[in-house]
Amino acid sequence: MHVPTREATLAAGIHHPNVIRIVELGDAEGVPFIVMEYVEGVTLKELLAAGRRSPADGHALPITVALHLVLQACAGSHAAHELLDADGRPYGLVHRDITPHNLMVDEHGHVKLLDFGIAKACEGMDQ
């Protein structure tokens, strides 16, 4: 049986409204898998591209909307960074790839941070 990656195991421990929820980590016939919550929406990359194709009021995305989305991404990143181990010590998890294609925006404008595949745990786990 394959052991889930450190990143997947850590990400599964993050419980925050702005981080994609990992429902299950497992192994099926020797193939590891991750089951994540389904988010009805688009990536920020897709949203920005749509805005460039049909800008409203001369802006691809209103500054208030952009700031709202960025604040949510920061809140998700902060939650990941504040993740604690069983002894209450922070892992110091750093996402390292917060880009528009790793941010899902649902139909209500809520942001979910995705893909901790290149995250780095600075403390609490083997490097």
Side-chain angles (χ1 to χ4, degrees), residues 1-100:
M1 178 167 156
H2 288 89
V3 176
T5 66
R6 289 185 301 162
E7 293 86 359
T9 302
L10 287 173
I14 304 167
H15 304 288
H16 189 273
N18 296 116
V19 176
I20 195 80
R21 186 171 51 89
I22 295 181
V23 178
E24 183 178 356
L25 296 172
D27 183 278
E29 300 179 10
V31 178
F33 66 86
I34 300 174
V35 178
M36 292 181 271
E37 75 175 296
Y38 177 76
V39 178
E40 182 72 38
V42 296
T43 65
L44 181 56
K45 181 179 180 177
E46 293 167 321
L47 184 63
L48 291 171
R52 283 191 295 273
R53 286 192 298 273
S54 58
D57 301 323
H59 301 289
L61 194 62
I63 190 69
T64 55
V65 173
L67 288 172
H68 180 70
L69 299 175
V70 168
L71 285 172
Q72 291 182 71
C74 289
S77 176
H78 179 73
H81 188 69
E82 296 296 309
L83 184 65
L84 303 176
D85 69 13
D87 296 322
R89 294 183 305 246
Y91 284 113
L93 186 63
V94 178
H95 189 285
R96 300 198 313 182
D97 192 27
I98 299 176
T99 55

Side-chain angles (χ1 to χ4, degrees), residues 92-114:
L93 186 63
V94 178
H95 189 285
R96 300 198 313 182
D97 192 27
I98 299 176
T99 55
H101 69 275
N102 280 333
L103 296 169
M104 285 293 297
V105 181
D106 75 12
E107 56 195 3
H108 303 291
H110 298 124
V111 172
K112 297 278 189 174
L113 181 57
L114 311 173

